[in-house]
Amino acid sequence: MALDYRKCAEEIVSHIGGRENIVQAAHCATRLRLVIKDNGKVDKKALENVDGVKGMFENNGQLQLIIGTGTVNKVYAEFLSVTGMTEATKDDVKAAAAAGQPIWKRMLKAVGDVFVPILPAIVASGLMMGFVEAMGKVYPEFASTSWYDFLDMVANTAFAYLPVIVAISAARVFGGNIFLGAVIGLAMIHANLVNAWVVGSLETIPAWNFNIFNFIVSVNKVGYQGHVIPVIIAVYLMCAIEKWLHKHTPEMIDLFVVPFTTVLVTTFLTFTIIGPIFSQLESWVLIGAEKLVHNPFGSAIMGAIYPWTVVMGLHHMYNVIEAGMLAVEGGLNTWMPIASAANFAQFGACLAIGIKARQQRTKVVAIPSSLSAALGITEPAIFGINLRFFKPIIAGMIGGTIGAFYGALSGIGAKAYGVTGIPGYLTIAQPFQYTILLAISGGIAFVLAWIMWHEETPEAEAAPAAPAEPDKVVEFGTVISSSAGEIAQCTAGKVIPYTEIPDPTFAEGTLGKGVGIIPEDEYVYSPIDGEISSVAESKHAIGISGENDMEVLIHVGVDTVEMKGDGFVDYVKEGDKVTKGQKLMKFDRAKIKAANHPDTVVLLLTNSDDYTDVKFGENV
């Protein structure tokens, strides 16, 4: 009997809470993709029983109903008719799903997405800068050599041109032309501008005076060295302008009109609006900091907010305060202990994550980033780990508060400026008290981050004896390949075509094409680098989103949802970043067989219909 497309659409709408509960809807080759306002109004059991719905799962904020090739488009047409909605694309649905998150989460995610690709560069530079500066302090004669000059240049390159690196990465994240993004970043640190690191020492700052309709707009010629947030804002603006222009510019003149207008408008707005806002913010922070550091409670406040001034790129101006303190006869730099407490607290928080984390990707970023922070370069730790996971930066703020308070009470001060953390021993006047300060700030932050941050590892994970170390990366051959990338075998065993999987839904390719694996092991490993998009409540299935929009499903056993999680241990949760070969799950083959279910592990590229060059099989 033919499917009643209208009835199918009506039942779907009624079981997801009606039209008012739908944000966006689209379809791909096999699935109806929905973004829902309130998931609590969705009757999942009823949806599974709708005639025409062959399965469903949640992925990246989307409710995806599996309907099948050649049918889903007809159900979708009726769905639009029933709801009165207009046709949308998969990208529209993705955007709607992302927009459904709280704004602070979206902002943190945007910053994280910008920084993750550039972390290797700034981690390497941070470590090298710390070591080079320390060597120069320990061996003053080395600081005058060509070797020091060369190493110092190489070490600070990533930070000297950080706005350019950030701009390119931001353009990629926001969907703009990365080369136009590079131009925006270069303009913000142009040689004609006063370097932001030295502007505080100048009595007068050169400025542009723009005559706009007989109204003079004065803009200081100051660069954005060390800044992050204004660069991201500028490139976000650039991408919005570029996209708008592409839509409204005739194709014949698009090539020269869009880039020219985009760069001109973005740079002008950056220097006349974004620049003055951050310049004023710098002035307020500097004035506030100067007033606060003269008493222990004010120092504690600065110890707390210091990492946020790093995030905003405002921390370079503190050299003015330090220079002023040292300029007084017999002066002592009491600002340095505040900065050291704040920085070492970020070190402690980041180190805690590096030690506690099970995911290899988190560890390989956190450990070197924490070492960089211990040497006084905190950007890798803050942007790579602490801000991204949020709770660690809060732990660091608390540690920095208490450490700075102790430093002010103890009267600790330095005889120079420019170094914090471990290299600070070279300039500090009271090394014993300074050691206590570092121990307080770093130790408190470490303990709090350890307590506050969780990967939510299931308790059952500790029960089975693992034949391999939890963090060991296991490599298998490729079993699925396409223009989007390669997907490796996810567990040891014999690979079979998906058509031989003992379940019609899998064998017909309804959920996507792939392979089955008759297991010889009881562990499942990630077949790609990506992000966990879904973990079944019954623990038997995991979804992963990979590069180039690959959507991978790992389903252990057939009909094992009926086991309600018995015999399964998941080592990851939704939102976790995973690397290829990382352990994801343990399953008990004996329990699966005792429940009379096939233990075949199903590995599918669920959106295989999006590609025309997909190959399947062992070692493709």
Side-chain angles (χ1 to χ4, degrees), residues 119-419:
L119 280 175
I122 62 173
V123 168
S125 287
L127 286 170
M128 195 170 181
M129 284 176 66
F131 283 120
V132 171
E133 288 180 4
M135 288 289 290
K137 295 288 185 181
V138 173
Y139 304 106
E141 63 277 9
F142 176 67
S144 61
T145 65
S146 295
W147 272 113
Y148 177 88
D149 188 55
F150 170 75
L151 293 173
D152 183 59
M153 179 197 71
V154 174
N156 66 41
T157 297
F159 287 94
Y161 297 95
L162 184 62
V164 181
I165 304 174
V166 169
I168 293 172
S169 185
R172 179 190 57 80
V173 170
F174 300 134
N177 185 301
I178 63 171
F179 300 105
L180 293 183
V183 171
I184 299 302
L186 287 165
M188 296 175 77
I189 57 169
H190 198 283
N192 289 352
L193 303 173
V194 176
N195 191 304
W197 297 103
V198 301
V199 68
S201 61
L202 301 180
E203 293 184 4
T204 59
I205 302 172
W208 290 295
N209 295 299
F210 298 109
N211 188 329
I212 303 176
F213 301 113
N214 293 322
F215 181 79
I216 303 300
V217 177
S218 183
V219 179
N220 290 337
K221 298 181 182 180
V222 177
Y224 288 81
Q225 287 82 3
H227 284 276
V228 170
I229 301 301
V231 180
I232 294 176
I233 293 172
V235 175
Y236 178 84
L237 176 65
M238 181 210 84
C239 293
I241 293 171
E242 182 190 6
K243 291 176 184 177
W244 187 91
L245 288 171
H246 277 310
K247 289 182 179 179
H248 296 85
T249 303
E251 188 174 345
M252 185 179 295
I253 59 174
D254 181 277
L255 182 60
F256 64 90
V257 169
V258 173
F260 170 82
T261 308
T262 299
V263 171
L264 180 62
V265 173
T266 302
T267 51
F268 185 76
L269 293 177
T270 296
F271 283 99
T272 57
I273 297 178
I274 298 174
I277 289 174
F278 275 83
S279 177
Q280 185 60 58
L281 186 59
E282 284 185 357
S283 299
W284 288 340
V285 172
L286 186 61
I287 292 170
E290 287 178 322
K291 292 182 180 298
L292 288 172
V293 297
H294 296 299
N295 66 83
F297 292 101
S299 296
I301 293 172
M302 286 309 304
I305 67 175
Y306 185 92
W308 291 103
T309 63
V310 174
V311 170
M312 301 295 287
L314 308 179
H315 58 300
H316 59 80
M317 62 189 173
Y318 296 136
N319 288 342
V320 176
I321 298 177
E322 294 181 287
M325 290 177 172
L326 293 170
V328 179
E329 185 175 352
L332 199 62
N333 177 9
T334 57
W335 172 262
M336 180 271 202
I338 296 173
S340 276
N343 288 346
F344 217 71
Q346 295 302 316
F347 150 76
C350 187
L351 182 64
I353 304 309
I355 295 175
K356 187 177 182 181
R358 297 190 54 124
Q359 296 182 42
Q360 192 66 15
R361 177 174 288 186
T362 301
K363 282 183 175 294
V364 298
V365 172
I367 298 298
S369 295
S370 65
L371 295 178
S372 174
L375 297 172
I377 312 298
T378 57
E379 283 88 347
I382 290 176
F383 289 108
I385 295 294
N386 296 354
L387 183 61
R388 189 151 58 100
F389 294 127
F390 197 69
K391 288 182 179 179
I393 201 170
I394 301 301
M397 289 173 63
I398 296 172
T401 299
I402 299 172
F405 184 77
Y406 168 79
L409 283 180
S410 304
I412 303 174
K415 297 169 286 186
Y417 68 88
V419 291

Side-chain angles (χ1 to χ4, degrees), residues 494-549:
K494 179 183 177 182
V495 177
I496 61 174
Y498 71 92
T499 53
E500 295 181 13
I501 298 172
D503 179 90
T505 301
F506 295 128
E508 293 171 5
T510 303
L511 295 178
K513 299 175 182 178
V515 298
I517 304 166
I518 300 174
E520 298 172 355
D521 191 6
E522 294 189 333
Y523 288 90
V524 171
Y525 304 89
S526 180
I528 59 171
D529 292 336
E531 180 177 325
I532 300 299
S533 55
S534 62
V535 177
E537 291 182 10
S538 48
K539 303 180 183 179
H540 72 292
I542 293 174
I544 310 173
S545 296
E547 295 180 351
N548 301 316
D549 293 329

Side-chain angles (χ1 to χ4, degrees), residues 416-430:
Y417 68 88
V419 291
T420 58
I422 293 175
Y425 279 105
L426 302 171
T427 65
I428 202 71
Q430 301 96 342

